[in-house]
Amino acid sequence: RIGERAAGPGREAAWSRREQSGTAGADPRVLDALAAGNRAYEERFGHVYLVCATGLPAEELLARLRGRLTAGQEAERGTVRAELAKITRLRLEKLLGEES
């Protein structure tokens, strides 16, 4: 979840920590609001809030989350697909970079 630090030594956990580095050291009130927003999002849409967090500060992630909570189901599905595509592209680039 956005705002939670992925645990473990694995590559995916390390990537997640780097991608969400904008939440490291964020104001505790922002992190609390992200946690509450994550819960509200999951209740509304039935899955975790998915966003390409790379390069975004916690405040921006929270603003995007709040905006997406007002979206309709179909619009949000499209946004999730687009965000997942961004994440996949970045991770494939990282993976290919490791092999060269």
Side-chain angles (χ1 to χ4, degrees):
R1 291 181 178 87
I2 296 298
E4 295 178 6
R5 301 287 290 167
R11 176 175 49 206
E12 290 81 9
W15 287 350
S16 179
R17 286 189 295 271
R18 279 188 300 239
E19 290 162 1
Q20 292 193 46
S21 64
T23 63
D27 184 307
R29 291 173 295 188
V30 174
L31 294 176
D32 288 344
L34 274 170
N38 281 326
R39 287 189 300 275
Y41 183 96
E42 289 176 27
E43 288 175 19
R44 175 157 166 61
F45 294 108
H47 56 84
V48 298
Y49 167 55
L50 185 69
V51 63
C52 183
T54 300
L56 299 176
E59 295 81 6
E60 176 65 21
L61 292 167
L62 178 58
R64 290 182 185 202
L65 172 56
R66 286 177 171 161
R68 286 175 54 187
L69 278 168
T70 65
Q73 293 284 340
E74 194 58 37
E76 183 56 19
R77 277 193 278 275
T79 301
V80 168
R81 285 191 296 270
E83 293 296 311
L84 184 55
K86 290 179 202 174
I87 294 165
T88 301
R89 189 175 314 110
L90 286 170
R91 289 185 177 187
L92 281 171
E93 289 171 1
K94 290 175 191 175
L95 183 62
L96 293 172
E98 288 177 4
E99 293 179 357
S100 48

